[in-house]
Amino acid sequence: MSSIIQLLPDHVANQIAAGEVVQRPASVVKELLENAVDAGATDIKLIIKDAGKTLVQVIDNGKGMSVTDARLCFARHATSKIRLAEDLFALHTKGFRGEALASIAAIAHVELKTKQDQEELGTHLIIEGSKFVSQDVAVLPKGTSFSVKNLFFNIPARRNFLKSDTVEHRHIVDEFQRVALAHPNIHFSYYHNGSDLFNLPQSNFRQRIVNIFAGKTNEKLVPIQETTEIVGIQGFVSKPEFAKKSKGEQFFFVNNRFIKSPYLHHAVMAAYEGLLKDGSQPSYFIYLDVPPNTIDINIHPTKTEIKFDDESALYAILRSAIKHSLGQFNVAPILDFERDSSLDTPYSYKDQEGSFPTIQIDTAFNPFATDEKPVRFSGGSGGGSYKKEETASWEGLYTGLKQEAEMVFGTTEEDIQFETEEVTSRLFEEHEVEKAESKIYQIHKKYIVNPIKSGMLIVDQNRAHQRVLYEQFLTSMTVHQAASQQLLFPLNLYFSSAELELISELKPSLVNTGFVFEETNDEHVIISGLPVNISESDVSKVLEELLNELQHGIPENSFSQNDSIAKSMAKSLAVKTGAYLTEKEQENLINGLFACKDPNVSPFQKPTFITLSVEDLDKKFAL
Ligand code: ADP
Ligand code: MG
C-alpha cells in the first residue's frame, strides 16, 4: 500500500503560516514597526502607498543587521530575541516568534537595506515569495529599511479579499497609532501617498496623545497614577463630560505593548459608574507595567491579547486608580474661581446679608389673659414669645422646602378633588368624544397617538422623525440644491487626522446636504454654513457619529455613500424617545411622515407606526 502523507514544500508551508500573521497590509505595518522599535531606533518612518496594497516601507535608525543576519532574518523561527523557552517569560521585546519576516517574505516582494553602525558598508537584499532574488553590498545609512511591495501577489484570493483603500488605510492608522502611543520617546513620521499624515516628535505620553489626536485633547484628559507591587499604572482618562457616543480612543498598553482586554475595559467603565450618560464611552490611554514573568503573551498570534496572573487584583487596582483621579477632578471645580459661588448656598439665602439673631420680647404678653389666641407649646412660664420667635426663624430656613411640601400635599380639602361619579360621566358626554377625535396625544414621550376614523394610529416619534429627515437629506443630496443656513460665526471643529481624512472624502456629499466648508487643514475644519435642519449645537455630535459609523469604510459608490450619510444624520438628529413634543410638533411630525415616499418604515427598516382598529379594541374587550 502506498503512503499518502507528504510533507508540504517549504514555500507552501510558509504561505499557510503567513495567513496567520499577515491578514492585511496593516499586519505588515505592525510587524515592521515593532521590529524597528525592538532594534532600538529613535526615529522611525512609515511610508505607505495605496493603503499598503502597493507599498509598505519602514525605515529606522536602529542597530541594523550583519550580512548573515540579513539573510537569516527571513528564515522561519529565526529570532535574535529569545534563545530558551524560559526567555518567553521575561520578554522585553515586541517580537519573539521569529515568524513575521518569514511570513511576509513568503507572500510579497521584499527589499531589505540594512547597515550596522560599526560597519562601513551595508547589505541590500531582495526576496520574493520566499526566494532570494539578489544580494549586494551597498553604501547605506545606519539602520534598516524594509520595503514590502505587492502584498499577496501569489495568493490572488487573499488579495481580492482586501477591503477598500479607506478601510485598509484605517487599519494601518490604527496600528501606527498604537505603536506610536506606546513609544513617545521615539520620533515617528507617517507618509501616505506622498503626503505626511503624522509627524510625532519625541515627547512624553501626554504630548504624544495630543499630537496624535489633535485639537482639544489636552483639556479633556485627567492623569491617573498608581504604583503597587503587582502593577504600575499611569496614563490618562477623559473627563466624563467629554465621553463620546462612539468607542474611539481606548487604549491599554502592557509593558509598552498595545493590548485588547474586555476585562480591563470593564474595570474602567466600572470606575465611571454614574458619571456617564447612557451608552457613552470615555477615552482612555492606560499604560500598565507588570513584571514580565506575570503575563503570558504567547496566547495569540497577533499578540494583542495577553493573560495576567492576577487579573482580579489588576481589575480592582485599575478601577480604584481611575475612580480616585475622577474623584479628584470632581472635587476640583469647588476651588475653581470662576465658579458662581452662590450656587453653593442653599435655599434662598444667597442674596441675603448675614444678620445677628435678635430676641424680641413682648412685654405686654400675659399668659393668663383669655382673649389671646391659644399658643401651641408646652413651654412652662413666661417665654412664649421668645419661643415662638425662635420657631419662626428656624422655619425660615426651610421656607423653600415648606412651600414645596405644601404644593405636594395640598393645604386641605379644598385643593384635593376626588374623582366623583359626576366627573367620570362627563368624560363620556358626546361632544367630548368628538373633540377627542381630532386630538393628538403623546404618550410616554415616545408614541404619538392620533385617533383616526377606523380606530387609532400610534406613531413611534423617533423612527418617524428619522424617516422624515432621511428623505429630506436624500432629496437635497440627489438634487444638489440643499438650503443652508449661514453661520454668523464660523465653527472651528477639531478632529484627529484620520477623521479629517474621512471628512475630506465625504466632503462633496456633505456639501450637498447643506454644509459649507470654509477651510479644511490638517487639524481642523471651519464650517460656515449648515443644513437647515441641523442646529449649531448639534454639529459636532452629528459629524462625530457619522465618522464613527463610517470609520470602517466609506461605501464606494456615491449612491450608497449618500444613503449612509443620510441615515446616520437622520439617526443623530431625530427626536429621541423621552423628548416632549408640543401638539403642533406632533402634528407636523405626523403630516411629515405621511408625506414621505415610504412612511411605513424607518431608514433602518423598522416599523414607524401601527394602527389599532376599533375591532381590534373590541376584541380585546371581549376577552
Ligand atoms: P521577531 O521579531 O519575532 O524576532 P521577525 O521575523 O520579526 O521576528 O524578525 C526576525 C529577526 O530579524 C529579529 O529577531 C531581528 O534580529 C531581525 N530584525 C528584524 N527587523 C529588524 C530591524 N528593523 N532592525 C534590526 N534587526 C531586525
Ligand atoms: Mg518581529
Side-chain angles (χ1 to χ4, degrees), residues 369-576:
T370 46
D371 58 345
E372 291 274 338
K373 272 192 182 171
V375 182
R376 276 177 292 132
F377 68 92
S378 51
S381 62
S385 271
Y386 165 66
K387 277 256 180 175
K388 211 176 170 188
E389 200 53 50
E390 189 191 48
T391 322
S393 72
W394 277 107
E395 265 172 6
L397 264 183
Y398 294 96
T399 316
L401 285 182
K402 209 173 131 206
Q403 276 167 0
E404 241 171 52
E406 265 169 16
M407 266 161 54
V408 174
F409 299 118
T411 37
T412 41
E413 311 91 70
E414 314 109 68
D415 291 348
I416 301 169
Q417 289 216 338
F418 292 97
E419 212 180 337
T420 60
E421 274 302 310
E422 247 176 57
V423 177
T424 320
S425 67
R426 225 187 6 204
L427 275 177
F428 284 89
E429 275 168 35
E430 261 315 291
H431 69 276
E432 284 284 334
V433 178
E434 262 165 27
K435 222 171 154 192
E437 290 256 355
S438 60
K439 209 161 163 95
I440 299 186
Y441 301 92
Q442 188 188 24
I443 54 175
H444 282 257
K445 296 191 185 145
K446 181 171 187 191
Y447 297 113
I448 299 170
V449 180
N450 189 9
I452 49 172
K453 251 208 192 114
S454 60
M456 64 202 225
L457 178 72
I458 304 173
V459 176
D460 180 313
Q461 64 185 43
N462 173 256
R463 291 181 188 175
H465 198 209
Q466 284 186 7
R467 163 56 58 182
V468 173
L469 290 171
Y470 169 70
E471 291 202 4
Q472 279 175 6
F473 282 124
L474 264 194
T475 319
S476 56
M477 283 160 105
T478 37
V479 299
H480 296 279
Q481 43 179 259
S484 65
Q485 38 171 340
Q486 193 71 25
L487 293 173
L488 204 50
F489 302 103
L491 288 172
N492 195 346
L493 301 175
Y494 287 87
F495 292 99
S496 69
S497 45
E499 289 170 330
L500 283 165
E501 217 194 335
L502 268 180
I503 290 182
S504 66
E505 276 183 65
L506 294 171
K507 206 163 144 189
S509 309
L510 290 173
V511 167
N512 285 337
T513 65
F515 277 99
V516 181
F517 291 91
E518 197 169 280
E519 192 189 316
T520 40
N521 65 22
D522 52 3
E523 62 170 13
H524 64 173
V525 289
I526 298 179
I527 293 173
S528 61
L530 295 178
V532 275
N533 31 20
I534 298 188
S535 73
E536 234 176 287
S537 54
D538 287 332
V539 186
S540 58
K541 187 186 88 184
V542 169
L543 288 178
E544 197 180 282
E545 289 177 3
L546 177 65
L547 293 176
N548 185 43
E549 259 152 54
L550 295 178
Q551 68 177 337
H552 295 301
I554 299 175
E556 311 249 291
N557 68 51
S558 70
F559 176 78
S560 40
Q561 185 173 325
N562 286 350
D563 189 67
S564 316
I565 293 177
K567 268 187 193 151
S568 163
M569 301 215 300
K571 188 170 145 203
S572 317
L573 290 166
V575 287
K576 301 284 177 305

Side-chain angles (χ1 to χ4, degrees), residues 31 35 38 81 95-96 100 303:
E31 296 298 337
N35 280 349
D38 283 345
K81 298 169 194 174
F96 55 85
K303 295 169 286 190

